[in-house]
C-alpha cells in the first residue's frame, strides 16, 4: 500500500514570493509516478506537474518545479513568483505503475493562500 | 476546456431517493474512477473501471454502485440516499500509452447534499 503525507494543512504567502509545499510518501514499489494537483475553490482539479520515479531529473513546468528526493521519499513543490490565481488546494499523489487500476493515492492537501 | 463532464454540478435531494451521478469523457480512456471528497477535502477512491463491463470497488467502502456499458460513460448510482452520503463526488479518467502514465483528468465534480 502507498501512503502520501502532506504536513502543511495551510500556507499563506505574499504575491510574487516563492513558496514550497512539502510531501512525503511511502511505497514498497520501485516503479511509480508522483503528481501535484491543484484544486481552485469550486473548480476542477487539474494536474500541475508529474514525475516518473525512475528519472533523476526534477520536473519543471514554468513557475512550478519539484524537488524529488527518492531515497528520502520526498516530493516537494516549489512555486516561484506566486500569483493570486495560485490560491487553491494542492494535493500530492502517488501512483504505482505496475498495472492494475493505477489508482492515485492522495495526501490530505495543503490550502495555499496567496495574499495581494 | 474539460474533456470529462459531470452532471449535475449541484444536487440537493431528500433521504430515500434514488440518484444517478453522470460522468462522461470524450478522450477514449479505458480507465475511469470515482472519488469521494469529504468536507476536509481528503479524497477517497470508491470505484474504478478498467474498461467496458469492468467495475471494481475502491479503497473506501461505499453504498453506491457503478456501471460501465460504454467506454465514455461511467455513472454512479445511490439506490437510497442518506445524509451520510452528503459529499463531493469526483469522476476521473486516466491516460496510459506507450508504457507511460500521464495522470488523471478530472471532471468538475458533483456536490451532493442529502437532507
Amino acid at each position: 500500500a502507498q501512503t502520501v503525507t502532506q504536513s502543511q494543512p495551510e500556507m499563506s504567502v505574499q504575491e510574487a514570493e516563492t513558496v514550497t509545499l512539502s510531501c512525503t510518501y511511502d511505497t514498497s514499489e520501485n516503479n511509480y509516478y508522483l503528481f501535484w494537483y491543484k484544486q481552485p475553490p469550486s473548480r476542477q482539479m487539474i494536474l500541475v506537474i508529474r514525475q516518473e520515479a525512475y528519472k533523476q531529473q526534477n520536473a519543471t513546468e514554468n513557475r512550478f518545479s519539484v524537488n524529488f528526493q527518492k531515497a528520502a521519499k520526498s516530493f516537494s513543490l516549489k512555486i516561484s513568483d506566486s500569483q493570486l490565481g495560485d490560491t487553491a488546494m494542492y494535493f500530492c499523489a502517488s501512483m504505482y505503475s505496475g498495472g492494475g487500476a493505477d489508482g492515485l493515492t492522495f495526501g490530505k492537501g495543503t490550502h495555499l493562500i496567496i495574499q495581494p | 476546456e474539460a474533456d470529462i463532464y459531470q452532471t449535475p454540478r449541484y444536487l440537493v435531494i431528500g433521504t430515500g431517493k434514488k440518484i444517478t451521478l453522470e460522468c462522461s469523457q470524450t478522450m477514449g480512456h479505458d480507465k475511469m474512477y470515482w472519488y469521494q471528497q469529504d468536507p476536509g477535502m481528503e479524497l477517497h477512491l470508491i470505484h474504478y473501471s478498467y474498461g467496458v463491463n469492468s467495475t471494481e470497488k475502491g479503497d473506501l467502502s461505499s453504498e453506491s454502485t457503478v456501471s460501465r456499458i460504454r467506454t465514455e460513460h461511467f455513472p454512479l448510482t445511490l439506490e437510497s440516499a442518506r445524509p451520510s452520503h452528503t459529499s463531493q463526488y469526483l469522476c476521473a479518467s486516466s491516460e496510459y500509452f506507450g508504457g507511460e502514465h500521464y495522470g488523471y483528468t478530472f471532471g468538475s465534480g458533483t456536490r451532493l447534499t442529502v437532507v
Side-chain angles (χ1 to χ4, degrees):
Chain A
Q2 300 181 66
T3 60
V4 177
T5 302
Q6 294 179 249
S7 59
Q8 304 150 312
E10 185 170 289
M11 296 185 71
S12 179
V13 298
Q14 296 293 123
E15 193 176 7
E17 289 183 348
T18 293
V19 59
T20 298
L21 309 183
S22 65
C23 172
T24 58
Y25 62 93
D26 191 16
T27 180
S28 58
E29 306 298 340
N30 288 320
N31 300 317
Y32 54 91
Y33 295 82
L34 297 165
F35 304 88
W36 278 97
Y37 280 86
K38 170 184 177 182
Q39 188 178 32
S42 300
R43 292 183 65 186
Q44 187 180 12
M45 189 170 313
I46 58 174
L47 178 65
V48 174
I49 203 163
R50 163 185 172 269
Q51 174 85 40
E52 298 100 323
Y54 65 85
K55 286 189 177 177
Q56 303 248 343
Q57 187 173 8
N58 290 324
T60 63
E61 287 288 340
N62 301 313
R63 297 183 295 108
F64 299 87
S65 62
V66 298
N67 182 5
F68 175 45
Q69 302 289 327
K70 190 171 183 178
K73 295 184 178 175
S74 171
F75 184 62
S76 60
L77 174 70
K78 185 173 83 171
I79 306 174
S80 304
D81 184 26
S82 58
Q83 301 174 359
L84 296 179
D86 295 333
T87 293
M89 284 292 293
Y90 286 81
F91 292 95
C92 179
S94 68
M95 174 195 281
Y96 169 54
S97 60
D102 311 315
L104 280 172
T105 299
F106 286 91
K108 293 186 177 183
T110 295
H111 184 205
L112 176 64
I113 301 167
I114 309 298
Q115 305 275 10
Chain B
E1 187 68 32
D3 291 315
I4 184 163
Y5 305 96
Q6 289 187 245
T7 57
R9 186 78 176 86
Y10 300 94
L11 179 62
V12 180
I13 199 162
T15 298
K17 298 292 187 182
K18 178 180 179 179
I19 57 170
T20 296
L21 310 185
E22 300 289 347
C23 176
S24 295
Q25 50 101 358
T26 59
M27 298 168 286
H29 292 168
D30 285 326
K31 294 178 180 175
M32 296 189 72
Y33 312 83
W34 277 101
Y35 278 82
Q36 185 172 338
Q37 187 170 30
D38 60 31
M41 303 301 282
E42 195 167 354
L43 291 137
H44 303 281
L45 178 67
I46 54 174
H47 297 285
Y48 59 93
S49 168
Y50 295 106
V52 172
N53 294 326
S54 156
T55 60
E56 304 286 343
K57 290 192 179 293
D59 304 322
L60 180 70
S61 176
S62 174
E63 294 170 342
S64 59
T65 59
V66 292
S67 62
R68 191 87 182 278
I69 299 171
R70 303 196 315 267
T71 297
E72 62 271 22
H73 195 212
F74 191 42
L76 181 146
T77 299
L78 277 166
E79 290 292 334
S80 180
R82 294 192 282 130
S84 61
H85 297 138
T86 294
S87 190
Q88 168 141 271
Y89 293 84
L90 297 177
C91 181
S93 66
S94 68
E95 188 170 6
Y96 177 79
F97 66 86
E100 294 285 336
H101 287 277
Y102 291 89
Y104 285 11
T105 300
F106 281 88
S108 298
T110 293
R111 187 169 296 279
L112 173 66
T113 302
V114 184
V115 297

